[in-house]
Amino acid sequence: AQTNQCLANMRSVLNLNGFDMTDVVKTTVFMTDFKEFEDMNKEYTKFFDQPYPARSAVQVGALAKGAKLEIDCIAVKKGK
């Protein structure tokens, strides 16, 4: 659920700024428990098409407000 919400929020912010998910070239996923990686990945692939953007995943001790997951991205307009 947190992956879905993170990526839905990301899509909204991108759209507000004239971008979309196809403009994402790199993501970083911060997780408090890598045991949940497969579940995260199933949701993640619903938001991106192949070829997927480059991705790093990092397990962290804690995230703000008790979140289990945080995702940031770099987006670049194609042809710019």
Side-chain angles (χ1 to χ4, degrees):
Q2 288 191 28
T3 302
N4 186 288
Q5 188 63 59
C6 274
L7 292 171
N9 291 350
M10 178 186 296
R11 182 174 49 209
S12 293
V13 171
L14 288 166
N15 291 163
L16 285 171
N17 290 283
F19 291 83
D20 61 44
M21 296 301 267
T22 65
D23 297 314
V24 175
V25 296
K26 168 79 168 70
T27 63
T28 305
V29 180
F30 302 91
M31 302 180 70
T32 59
D33 188 353
F34 266 165
K35 291 177 187 167
E36 297 181 15
F37 185 87
E38 285 189 40
D39 291 335
M40 177 278 299
N41 203 48
K42 286 177 188 173
E43 278 303 306
Y44 185 95
T45 59
K46 294 177 184 177
F47 285 83
F48 295 103
D49 296 321
Q50 292 186 11
Y52 299 114
R55 176 175 67 184
S56 299
V58 181
Q59 183 169 320
V60 297
L63 291 166
K65 299 190 177 203
K68 294 182 178 184
L69 176 102
E70 183 175 311
I71 303 173
D72 70 13
C73 77
I74 298 171
V76 177
K77 271 292 188 195
K78 309 296 189 260
K80 299 277 179 174

